[in-house]
Amino acid sequence: MKRTSFAILIGLFCLFPALFSQVRSEFLLEKNWKFTREDSPEFINPTFNDSKWQSVTVPHDWAIYGPFSSQNDKQEVAIAQDGQTEAMEHAGRTGGLPFVGVGWYRTEFEVPQFTDGKRATILFDGAMSHAKVYVNGQEVGYWPYGYNSFYFDITKQLMPGKKNTLAVRLENLPESSRWYPGAGLYRNVHLIVTDKVHVPVWGTQITTPHVSKDFAAVRLQTKIDNADEKTQIRIETEILSPDGKVATSKENTSRINHGQPFEQNFIVNAPELWSPESPSLYKAVSKIYADDKLVDTYTTRFGIRNIEYIADKGFYLNGKHRKFQG
């Protein structure tokens, strides 16, 4: 029994360095949200008592619960396509759902990974719409478009070792959509913690300049934030095939020149080509070192495929003529 306990203890000590050596942490802000359709400037304050608000889980759409009513999307318009010359009452374009108006979301969270020298980013996959985002009572950004993903740097607002309050105000304006647009935090919310020198959100770009059944050329460009021209950057990248095996790898060392992305080029032999029938995806797994210190890891999924538009013939995917259905 003692030997077993000692072995477990040794295992835990071995595990701790791996836990604290993580250079990038990302998790979902999914549970423990509060929601209301009321509106007040007090809602941004961390000390505001939201215990009487509705408890929800994100993703969340406040309008799908109804009540349905033709009054929710009634319009007085003339539809020229139907030959109408005078304005008349129409309803039902947005399903009669009550999506117009203001909604607030609040949540509290701690970030043990956020320590001195770290950077923090809040990423919204979708918020409908006119989002105003507050962290610990401070506005960190505004994003009007409901269909786009967006993010803000919240390094200055986040408090290490303490509870943090995130508040989001959303507003859907009347006649802002022809069809039902959604309402609320209808997609995931991510919190990302990195080192100072790191790959930003959507910081990689992959192209395939040449694609054939025999081999594919893959170009990976990686943006590095907060690395000056004196910092020596080394990137070790493995290209993993759809079955998880290493298809190719490369290690390159350079310095960042006036913010230009770091470029790597690969050859993938006998690639599994992406198509709708066989949506094979590769992964580029990159480790970023700054002056020989591991500062970030970043994974990019991509498909290898060739696209052509040929005049008088149409669209070609991987050398085969394809027709768009729909």
Side-chain angles (χ1 to χ4, degrees), residues 3 14 55 61 64 90 101 108 117 119 168 216 237:
R3 288 184 179 180
C14 293
S55 296
D61 184 322
I64 60 175
H90 296 276
E108 287 187 338
R119 310 286 296 188
V168 183
T237 299

Side-chain angles (χ1 to χ4, degrees), residues 2 27 34-35 38 61 79 82 110 188 195 235 287:
K2 291 182 179 180
F27 56 92
K34 291 290 188 176
F35 169 74
E38 298 176 359
D61 184 322
I79 302 177
D82 292 346
E110 295 183 24
N188 288 326
D195 275 10
I235 299 184
K287 294 181 180 179

Side-chain angles (χ1 to χ4, degrees), residues 28 42 63 321:
L28 293 177
E42 296 181 2
H321 185 233

Side-chain angles (χ1 to χ4, degrees), residues 22-296:
Q22 259 190 321
V23 291
R24 172 180 289 262
S25 302
E26 180 174 347
F27 56 92
L28 293 177
L29 297 178
E30 182 181 19
K31 299 179 180 180
N32 303 317
W33 286 87
K34 291 290 188 176
F35 169 74
T36 185
R37 290 296 307 274
E38 298 176 359
D39 189 18
S40 170
E42 296 181 2
F43 295 166
I44 72 171
N45 297 326
T47 56
F48 176 79
N49 184 1
D50 58 17
S51 60
K52 294 183 179 180
W53 289 14
Q54 180 185 357
S55 296
V56 299
T57 299
V58 170
H60 175 259
D61 184 322
W62 79 60
I64 60 175
Y65 301 97
F68 297 86
S69 172
S70 61
Q71 300 299 311
N72 290 330
D73 55 8
K74 184 172 65 175
Q75 292 179 311
E76 294 285 339
V77 295
I79 302 177
Q81 296 92 328
D82 292 346
Q84 298 173 3
T85 58
E86 295 183 3
M88 57 188 301
E89 183 178 312
H90 296 276
R93 283 190 170 188
T94 57
L97 290 165
F99 70 92
V100 174
V102 174
W104 277 86
Y105 293 85
R106 284 171 53 96
T107 188
E108 287 187 338
F109 59 92
E110 295 183 24
V111 194
Q113 301 90 338
F114 184 70
T115 54
D116 289 341
K118 294 287 188 177
R119 310 286 296 188
T121 301
I122 190 85
L123 168 63
F124 294 82
D125 286 344
M128 187 64 71
S129 56
H130 293 278
K132 290 185 178 180
V133 180
Y134 304 86
V135 174
N136 295 324
Q138 302 178 54
E139 184 172 351
V140 297
Y142 165 69
W143 189 261
Y145 310 110
Y147 297 107
N148 300 80
S149 299
F150 59 96
Y151 65 93
F152 302 116
D153 186 329
I154 59 171
T155 303
K156 294 181 179 179
Q157 292 78 21
L158 212 59
M159 298 185 298
K162 298 180 180 180
K163 278 191 175 181
N164 295 271
T165 302
L166 171 63
V168 183
R169 183 187 188 272
L170 301 174
E171 182 174 11
N172 282 342
L173 302 176
E175 299 185 10
S176 58
S177 178
R178 177 177 294 179
W179 312 116
Y180 177 64
L185 295 177
Y186 68 96
R187 288 181 179 166
N188 288 326
V189 180
H190 310 255
L191 185 62
I192 305 167
V193 178
T194 64
D195 275 10
K196 178 182 177 181
V197 178
H198 65 281
V199 181
V201 176
W202 311 320
T204 57
Q205 181 187 51
I206 290 183
T207 55
T208 50
H210 175 83
V211 175
S212 68
K213 293 182 180 179
D214 298 325
F215 75 94
V218 176
R219 178 184 296 135
L220 169 62
Q221 291 185 311
T222 304
K223 189 171 188 266
I224 307 293
D225 275 0
N226 302 317
D228 57 36
E229 296 179 8
K230 297 180 181 179
T231 305
Q232 181 172 272
I233 298 295
R234 185 174 88 253
I235 299 184
E236 299 176 359
T237 299
E238 291 184 338
I239 304 293
L240 303 183
S241 62
D243 62 2
K245 297 180 181 178
V246 178
T248 184
S249 63
K250 186 162 286 189
E251 175 182 335
N252 299 93
T253 301
S254 184
R255 297 182 188 275
I256 301 300
N257 183 18
H258 299 288
Q260 294 300 308
F262 194 107
E263 185 172 306
Q264 293 178 291
N265 291 279
F266 306 84
I267 295 295
V268 176
N269 292 313
E272 297 182 41
L273 302 185
W274 183 96
S275 70
E277 294 77 21
S278 180
S280 302
L281 291 176
Y282 286 75
K283 288 182 181 179
V285 182
S286 299
K287 294 181 180 179
I288 292 86
Y289 295 83
D291 295 329
D292 291 327
K293 177 188 175 184
L294 179 64
V295 294
D296 202 1

Side-chain angles (χ1 to χ4, degrees), residues 208 211 274 304-310 314-320 324:
T208 50
V211 175
W274 183 96
I304 297 177
R305 77 284 184 274
N306 181 58
I307 290 176
E308 292 180 281
Y309 288 94
I310 301 177
F315 174 77
Y316 284 75
L317 175 66
N318 301 327
K320 297 181 180 179
F324 290 96

